[in-house]
Amino acid sequence: MVGPGRNPARYEGPAVRFESVGLRYGRQPETLRDVSFDLEPGSFTFLTGASGAGKTTLLKLIYLALRPTRGLITAFGQDVATLPREAVPALRRRVGVVFQEFRLLDHLSAFDNAALPLRLAGLKPKAYRDDVGELLAWVGLGERMHAMPATLSGGEKQRLAIARAVVGKPDVLLADEPTGNVDHDMALRILRLFVELNRLGTTVLIASHDQDLVRQSGKPVMHLARGKLGPASVGRAA
Amino acid sequence: MSESNLTEARARLWRPAPLLPKEDERDGALVFVVAVLCFLACVAALAALAADRAATGWRRELSGEVLVQARPGPNETPALAAERAAAALAGVPGVTEVVALGRSEAEALLEPWLGRGGLEDLPVPQLVVVELDREAPARRGALDAALQADGVDAVIHDYEAYLGDVRRAGSLARAGAVGTAALIACAAAAVIAFATRAGMAARREVVEVLHLSGAEDAMLARLFQARFAKLAAVAGVIGAGGAAVIAAGLRALSGSGGFLPILPVDWSDLPWLLLCPLLAAFIAALSARRTAMELLAGFE
C-alpha cells in the first residue's frame, strides 16, 4: 500500500482524545453530551448505537467537519479548537474516512477517486500509479479501476470508498456504517480488510449498527445512546 | 489483446482527470456575457486612443498657426497693411510661412458665421496667416517685436485660449473612455464572482469531499481561479476579436480619417486589443480566487 507516509513526528499519547465533549446544533438539545474517550494508537474499536444516537456526529468531530460546542478534543496531541486553519489539511490527511454515503466524485474514475488523497498530498502520478492499481486489485476492483462511480454496484462503491480512505496510509481510519450497503459475506470481507489495516498499525474506529458484525469481530465497543457514551464493552468473537 | 492486458495498457496511459468537472452548462452563457463586456471594454479603449489622437492632432494644428490682423494706418489700404505685416513676420526665426489673405479668402473665413455674400459693405479685417515651425515655434513676443520694428499696427490672435479647451475636451474624452473601460472591468469581475459562487454551490459536494480529504484552501481556490481565468481568456479573445474586426473594417473603409473624423482609429491601435484576453483572465482569476477563499472560509 502506498501513502504520503505516516507522520514522522509521531505523538506517543492517544491518537484521539475526547474530554467532556458536547455538541449542539443551533438551539436544539445537545446531540452529544459529556463524551470522553481515548483512541489509543493501533487500537480497533466499534462505535455502536441506534440511528440518531450521534455516531456520525462523533466521527465528524474527529475528522474536523464539526467543532465541539464544549469540551476538549485532541488529535495526535493537538487541541483541535486552537489548531490554525492552515494546519487542518495536514491533520485531515492523517485521518482516512469512509463516509456512510460513500461521497465518491462522479466525474472521476474509480482509479482517480482512489488516488485522490495522494494527489491532494502533492504526490506525482508516477509515484502512486502502480500502488493504487494494486490497492484496487486488493479490494477486488482491479478490473473496474477505469469505471466511473455511476456504473459501480453498491458493494463496489463501498470498496472504492474504503480504498480511498486507506490509500494515504492514514494514522486513523474512521468508517461510518461501512457495511450498510453490502451482504453479510461482503461485510465480513470488509471487516477482514479493516483488521488487516489495523495489523499494519492503523487506528480503526468503525461506526456500525450491525450487531452481528460487531460480535464477530471481538473488538472493543463504545456504545452511544441519546448522545451519551455508555461504558465500554467487548464484542464477542464468533 | 486479453482483458487484463487491456487494463494494464489503460493503466499505463492513465493521466489524472481534472479535479473539477470539466464542463458546466452555464459556461456558455458566462463566456457570452464576459465576451460582450470585453467587446465593450475594447470599444471604449479604442475610443480613448482615438480621442487622445484627435486631441493631440487638434492641439498640434492650433499651436502651429497664428493669425495676425493688420490695422491699416492713415492713408493705407487694408491690403497694404497686411502685406507689410507679412513682410515683417517672414524673417522671424520659428516662422515657416506667412500668407496675407485676400479679401475673398477673409470673407470665406467669415462665411460660416455671416453667410455667403452681403459682406461688400462691411469692414472685413485683413488677415495674415503665419505658419510656425512645429519643432521650434516663434514666440508671441518675437512676432510682436518684429511688427513693432517695422511700424505695423497689428493684433496677434494665437489659439492659446482654444488650446486649453481642446486639452480639456481631449482629457474629458480620454477619462470618459478609461472610466467606461474600468466600469466594464468591474462588471466583468462581479460577473465572475457571481459565477464562482454559482460554480462552487453547484459543486459543493465535490469541494466538500476535496476539503475533507485534505485539500488546502489555496489549492481549491486555484482550481476555480484557473477555470475562470481560462473561460475569461476565451471570452476576451472573442470580445477583442469582435472589436478588432469592426474597427479594422471601419478603418479600411474610411481611410486614415478613421470611422469618425473626431475619433480617428489607427491600425497601430489594434495590437493593444491583445491585452484584453490577458486582462480579462487576470481580473477573472483575482475575482474567482477572492470569492473562492471567502466561501471556503465558511467551511469547517
Side-chain angles (χ1 to χ4, degrees):
Chain A
M1 204 182 307
V2 73
R6 294 187 193 283
N7 195 319
R10 289 199 65 145
Y11 169 66
E12 294 302 322
V16 176
R17 166 169 280 172
F18 274 44
E19 289 178 49
S20 305
V21 170
L23 182 128
R24 71 169 79 239
Y25 294 102
R27 293 177 173 222
Q28 292 176 353
E30 280 192 321
T31 306
L32 291 178
R33 287 179 290 151
D34 293 319
V35 173
S36 300
F37 66 88
D38 285 353
L39 280 184
E40 295 300 334
S43 61
F44 191 125
T45 313
F46 272 97
L47 177 65
T48 60
S51 286
K55 301 190 295 292
T56 300
T57 300
L58 190 147
L59 295 187
K60 280 184 174 175
L61 285 168
I62 299 177
Y63 64 78
L64 309 182
L66 289 174
R67 301 266 174 166
T69 41
R70 65 185 174 91
L72 176 72
I73 299 176
T74 56
F76 313 109
Q78 293 173 289
D79 178 358
V80 299
T82 58
L83 201 64
R85 190 173 174 86
E86 310 82 71
V88 170
L91 195 138
R92 279 206 179 106
R93 287 199 283 266
R94 297 179 70 182
V95 180
V97 185
V98 182
F99 298 102
Q100 188 172 11
E101 63 283 18
F102 315 136
R103 304 190 80 168
L104 300 170
L105 300 184
D106 289 337
H107 65 287
L108 298 182
S109 67
F111 191 99
D112 280 329
N113 264 290
L116 189 63
L118 303 178
R119 202 168 158 187
L120 295 177
L123 267 67
K124 299 282 175 212
K126 232 180 183 177
Y128 61 74
R129 191 171 54 191
D130 294 342
D131 295 318
V132 172
E134 276 174 31
L135 174 63
L136 285 171
W138 191 52
V139 296
L141 292 173
E143 300 295 318
R144 303 282 283 148
M145 64 172 72
H146 298 293
M148 301 308 276
T151 66
L152 299 177
S153 68
E156 286 173 330
K157 284 180 182 172
Q158 192 90 311
R159 282 176 280 149
L160 178 55
I162 292 167
R164 184 180 65 186
V166 303
V167 74
K169 212 173 173 184
D171 290 310
V172 172
L173 175 68
L174 308 174
D176 195 356
E177 302 288 0
T179 56
N181 295 281
V182 294
D183 57 34
H184 189 67
D185 285 348
M186 179 57 73
L188 286 177
R189 212 171 134 190
I190 289 171
L191 178 64
R192 279 198 293 273
L193 199 151
F194 287 144
V195 170
E196 186 63 30
L197 284 167
N198 179 240
R199 278 201 194 114
L200 293 171
T202 302
T203 306
V204 178
L205 176 64
I206 300 175
S208 178
H209 63 259
D210 186 342
Q211 292 300 331
D212 285 346
L213 191 76
V214 174
R215 270 195 295 274
Q216 282 181 315
S217 74
K219 301 292 184 187
V221 178
M222 296 193 297
H223 187 74
L224 261 178
R226 293 178 186 167
K228 286 203 82 165
L229 208 54
S233 61
V234 177
R236 186 173 49 81
Chain B
M1 193 183 271
S2 71
E3 182 72 21
S4 61
N5 284 346
L6 192 67
T7 304
E8 258 179 49
R10 290 184 71 182
R12 273 198 304 276
L13 292 172
W14 166 82
R15 294 284 175 277
L19 287 173
L20 290 181
K22 260 185 186 170
E23 286 174 11
D24 187 311
E25 58 202 16
R26 286 163 300 207
D27 285 355
L30 178 68
V31 168
F32 175 74
V33 171
V34 178
V36 169
L37 290 170
C38 286
F39 172 79
L40 295 174
C42 285
V43 170
L46 285 174
L49 287 169
D52 189 56
R53 182 173 300 109
T56 305
W58 296 336
R59 269 203 312 273
R60 185 172 291 172
E61 278 182 28
L62 288 174
S63 60
E65 196 177 279
V66 167
L67 211 55
V68 175
Q69 183 186 349
R71 284 193 284 243
N75 307 321
E76 189 179 35
T77 64
L80 185 60
E83 288 296 334
R84 286 208 305 124
L89 296 171
V92 176
V95 172
T96 54
E97 193 179 357
V98 182
V99 179
L101 299 182
R103 184 176 173 91
S104 59
E105 287 161 312
E107 283 180 4
L109 286 175
L110 293 171
E111 199 178 287
W113 289 273
L114 301 178
R116 188 184 291 269
L119 299 175
E120 296 78 15
D121 299 330
L122 289 175
V124 174
Q126 289 293 298
L127 300 173
V128 178
V129 177
V130 182
E131 290 284 336
L132 301 177
D133 183 347
R134 306 273 162 141
E135 304 304 322
R139 301 272 177 164
R140 186 187 174 121
L143 300 178
D144 267 334
L147 290 168
Q148 278 177 13
D150 280 15
V152 180
D153 183 15
V155 180
I156 298 173
H157 298 282
D158 59 16
Y159 300 123
E160 272 306 317
Y162 307 116
L163 273 174
D165 289 343
V166 167
R167 274 194 203 102
R168 272 192 295 280
S171 299
L172 266 177
R174 207 166 42 233
V178 168
T180 306
L183 265 178
I184 291 168
C186 290
V191 168
I192 296 290
F194 182 76
T196 306
R197 278 177 199 282
M200 283 190 77
R203 299 179 183 87
R204 189 180 173 89
E205 174 65 14
V206 175
V207 173
E208 214 167 88
V209 170
L210 294 174
H211 186 66
L212 293 176
S213 301
E216 284 157 10
D217 289 355
M219 184 253 185
L220 286 171
R222 268 200 302 279
L223 294 177
F224 284 91
Q225 184 183 333
R227 178 186 189 84
F228 286 108
K230 203 170 149 189
L231 285 179
V234 170
V237 167
I238 296 169
V245 166
I246 289 173
L250 290 168
R251 173 68 180 75
L253 284 175
S254 57
S256 60
F259 58 91
L260 280 173
I262 55 163
L263 285 177
V265 172
D266 193 76
W267 293 115
S268 63
D269 295 344
L270 299 188
W272 287 104
L273 299 183
L274 291 173
L275 288 176
C276 177
L278 299 176
L279 278 173
F282 179 70
I283 291 168
L286 272 186
S287 178
R289 183 179 182 82
R290 189 163 173 265
T291 311
M293 289 300 274
E294 270 174 23
L295 292 174
L296 286 167
F299 279 61
E300 265 303 339

